Amino acid sequence: MTATTWTVAVAVAIFAVGAIGVLTRRNPLIMFMAAEMMWNAAALAFVAFARQHHALSGQVMAFLIIATAAAEVGIGLALIVSVYHRRHRLNIDEISRLKG
Amino acid sequence: MWGVYLVGIIAVLAAVGVVAARQPVHSAISLILNILALALLYLMLSAEFLAAAQVIVYAGAIMVLFLFVVTLLTAGKEEQEAPEILSGQRWWAGGLSVAIGLVLVLILAQTPSSGLGPAGPVGTLNALGAALWGRGFPYLLAVAMMLLTAALGVLVLNRPERPSRSSEPGSER
């Protein structure tokens, strides 16, 4: 097994575990962290393929993923905090009815 | 080569820790371990600048923000998961996620992969900057606009509800 295959396999495993976390946990903070892990897994796959194909564009994509994740964390944490201020419970089902 | 195996196993174990932890704080700490392991993997894949950016942006800024919000929202509380509204949702979701993983593994098994070969372009700051300001310039502009929009969005989300209420943090309690 080459290093590329192993690294992409690690990325696949992290992505699947993150998907399990997003779909089965109820705490919005933990769901959000699992989603962050899925972003990271995609970036890792990009870097691995950039190394294999000797192309720098994969690393550029990984850099853009890091920047996008930073923006996403700002918005997502602001949403979680504002929902918590209204409902005072950390449960994702509270957000299923998005009304005041 | 053994380093790649070892760091990959650490990254996957930390990922399982993020999902399996009961308290969000433990999740956050596992996520930090996962991010640091990924930064090491980036170093081994000759992406030096990305490894540094991963440590600074993720393990530094983003995780500090996460820990701040976790301590703000869950301090001194015993967190218990609420009963499910949709019955069996967990099992369906878990099965679907495992199916996603299996499909990805199948795709991976069919992808031809040559060995690493000679060392490719090293992702130093110079090389990555040249790529970003060259062919990747539209992406750079898009990311700049997106970050600006995100900052504006956070301001809009956290604006005071009524004009009479003061916008000072902590004054609502």
Side-chain angles (χ1 to χ4, degrees):
Chain A
M1 188 184 271
T2 63
T4 307
T5 316
W6 172 254
T7 316
V8 180
V10 166
V12 164
I14 293 177
F15 190 89
V17 171
I20 291 176
V22 170
L23 290 177
T24 59
R25 293 307 296 259
R26 288 288 160 64
N27 191 324
L29 285 169
I30 295 181
M31 289 176 68
F32 203 47
M33 285 187 241
E36 284 301 310
M37 251 171 20
M38 293 169 75
W39 285 96
N40 261 329
L44 180 62
F46 266 120
V47 172
F49 285 127
R51 175 75 174 86
Q52 186 188 357
H53 294 287
H54 300 315
L56 213 52
S57 47
Q59 294 194 13
V60 169
M61 281 299 155
F63 177 74
L64 299 178
I65 285 176
I66 290 178
T68 312
E72 180 223 359
V73 163
I75 291 282
L77 286 182
L79 277 176
I80 290 175
V81 168
S82 102
V83 167
Y84 184 80
H85 272 179
R86 285 163 193 268
R87 309 284 172 100
H88 289 280
R89 275 174 66 198
L90 270 182
N91 185 4
I92 200 67
D93 289 333
E94 297 283 324
I95 320 178
S96 62
R97 289 176 296 273
L98 271 183
K99 192 179 173 191
Chain B
M1 193 58 210
W2 285 109
V4 178
Y5 287 144
L6 185 66
V7 175
I9 290 171
I10 290 176
V12 173
L13 286 183
V16 172
V18 171
V19 172
R22 290 202 163 273
Q23 302 277 340
V25 182
H26 299 163
S27 257
I29 290 171
S30 294
L31 186 54
I32 291 176
L33 183 62
N34 177 274
I35 284 165
L36 290 181
L38 251 56
L40 273 181
L41 271 181
Y42 287 172
L43 263 189
M44 295 171 188
L45 293 168
S46 69
E48 299 171 4
F49 172 66
L50 277 182
Q54 177 96 352
V55 171
I56 293 172
V57 176
Y58 259 110
I62 291 183
M63 289 319 293
V64 165
L65 198 60
F66 255 114
L67 282 174
F68 187 73
V69 171
V70 165
T71 46
L72 182 71
L73 297 192
T74 67
K77 264 193 218 167
E78 196 57 40
E79 195 63 36
Q80 74 274 15
E81 297 255 317
E84 343 189 5
I85 293 176
L86 300 170
S87 64
Q89 178 259 344
R90 260 168 214 232
W91 297 106
W92 278 100
L96 280 179
S97 313
V98 172
I100 290 174
L102 284 181
V103 167
L104 287 177
V105 165
L106 275 183
I107 294 173
L108 177 65
Q110 288 174 351
T111 308
S113 115
S114 59
L116 275 185
V122 178
T124 57
L125 187 52
N126 277 337
L128 210 58
L132 262 180
W133 285 88
R135 281 179 48 216
F137 193 62
Y139 306 135
L140 195 64
L141 281 183
V143 160
M145 277 189 265
M146 182 192 62
L147 285 173
L148 188 63
T149 316
L152 277 179
V154 172
L155 282 182
V156 170
L157 276 174
N158 285 333
R159 72 186 188 280
E161 187 118 348
R162 295 176 201 93
S164 63
R165 192 183 274 177
S166 139
S167 66
E168 282 171 6
S171 64
E172 299 176 358
R173 269 166 260 158

